[in-house]
Amino acid sequence: MMVSKSQKPIVGITCCSSLNGIHHQQVVGDKYIRALMAGSDVIPVLIPSFGEAMLEILPHLDGIYLTGSYSNMEPHHFGGTELAVEMPRDPSRDITNLTLLKKAVELKIPVLGICRGFQEMNVALGGTLHQQVFELDNMTEHREDKSLSMNEQYSLSHNLNLSETGILSTIMKGELIQQVNSLHGQGVDKLADSLRVEGTAPDGLIEAFSLADNASYYLGLQWHPEWKIAENPFYNEIFKSFGDACRKYKENEAYS
């Protein structure tokens, strides 16, 4: 029997690889960590983006949490072409998260992914991405107005239409219309075959998904529920459901 020293689940948060001046750093936004601690009641640990070597940490985790980022995935991971416009990249994060996600699904470790993390979750299982949603004729603008204050950028932007069955409709007790913020330029093109749609924007863009077979908690969200979760019951319920999944996983592992 495995016995953890921590009474709370331990959740790994994968870092972005960042260059600050001449120094390489591993970073995670403060708001993501605070939302996880407050909403999920877990112990956060940071996972550096050091590639396959990070697989060694998985046996010590009860969940994985993927944050948003200003960087975008390199398109070769999903069969995309390199665009003429320059985009911020983080190849170390790409490799680390794609590797961890595939193994996490195999081990049935709970996963919650936000924005870039949501996109990584789809690509890891064979899905593809639109690299510039705003260039598509049938899509509305999903990017934030960066001239506005942070509060305005993260304010509610559009309705989210929930599927009748799934994690989100369950935690919201069948209230199928919710409201979310919108701060992204990329989005899901082809959804991975093993995933199901949990929610869509009014223009039809997929905004949330989970595993179709319910084999484990694998919830991806295109918006940013980490923003002021105490003021938003929907966002708070999402983090609570993730925490509950991590506690269940921890309990099952303790007696396996």
Side-chain angles (χ1 to χ4, degrees):
M1 180 177 70
M2 296 175 56
V3 179
S4 172
K5 293 181 180 180
S6 172
Q7 297 301 309
K8 294 183 179 182
I10 297 175
V11 173
I13 310 175
T14 54
C15 295
C16 294
S17 180
S18 175
L19 185 63
N20 186 0
I22 61 173
H23 297 283
H24 290 277
Q25 297 183 335
Q26 298 291 311
V27 297
V28 174
D30 183 84
K31 64 188 174 79
Y32 294 106
I33 304 173
R34 291 185 181 277
L36 181 68
M37 294 177 67
S40 301
D41 193 26
V42 299
I43 301 297
V45 296
L46 304 189
I47 306 174
S49 291
F50 290 166
E52 293 186 3
M54 296 300 95
L55 287 171
E56 296 291 336
I57 199 173
L58 287 183
H60 305 286
L61 300 180
D62 304 303
I64 295 176
Y65 178 47
L66 309 179
T67 71
S69 174
Y70 285 115
S71 67
N72 296 306
M73 295 190 72
E74 293 190 317
H76 69 83
H77 291 298
F78 51 88
T81 58
E82 195 67 50
L83 301 180
V85 296
E86 185 174 346
M87 293 185 179
R89 304 294 192 200
D90 190 345
S92 296
R93 172 169 168 156
D94 288 352
I95 294 298
T96 303
N97 285 1
L98 292 177
T99 302
L100 289 175
L101 284 168
K102 292 171 185 177
K103 192 64 176 180
V105 170
E106 179 184 329
L107 297 175
K108 300 183 178 180
I109 298 173
V111 178
L112 176 63
I114 293 171
C115 202
R116 191 195 208 271
F118 159 89
Q119 295 161 11
E120 292 165 341
M121 291 170 71
N122 182 47
V123 171
L125 299 186
T128 65
L129 302 177
H130 292 300
Q131 295 190 65
Q132 294 182 311
V133 172
F134 50 89
E135 293 289 348
L136 302 177
D137 291 337
N138 57 334
M139 295 294 176
T140 57
E141 178 62 85
H142 286 264
R143 294 174 296 177
E144 73 276 25
D145 182 347
K146 293 182 180 179
S147 69
L148 300 177
S149 69
M150 187 173 293
N151 274 330
E152 291 172 309
Q153 290 182 40
Y154 281 84
S155 64
L156 298 177
S157 176
H158 62 73
N159 284 348
L160 176 72
N161 303 311
L162 301 183
S163 301
E164 292 186 0
T165 59
I167 295 172
L168 296 180
S169 62
T170 298
I171 65 175
M172 295 311 292
K173 298 179 172 55
E175 296 180 11
L176 300 183
I177 304 296
Q178 301 295 327
Q179 286 191 311
V180 297
N181 52 39
S182 188
L183 301 93
H184 62 98
Q186 301 200 324
V188 167
D189 179 9
K190 176 185 178 295
L191 189 66
D193 292 340
S194 58
L195 299 175
R196 67 177 173 197
V197 176
E198 286 266 351
T200 58
D203 60 11
L205 187 67
I206 296 172
E207 293 266 332
F209 56 65
S210 62
L211 285 178
D213 61 6
N214 291 317
S216 62
Y217 187 106
Y218 190 85
L219 181 63
L221 310 171
Q222 182 61 88
W223 71 95
H224 287 264
E226 81 282 357
W227 183 253
K228 295 187 176 181
I229 64 168
E231 300 175 15
N232 190 306
F234 179 40
Y235 295 179
N236 190 65
E237 286 297 322
I238 289 170
F239 277 94
K240 182 178 180 298
S241 73
F242 178 56
D244 290 343
C246 294
R247 277 180 281 278
K248 183 178 179 180
Y249 180 85
K250 176 181 175 67
E251 181 180 347
N252 290 340
E253 284 295 294
Y255 295 98
S256 62

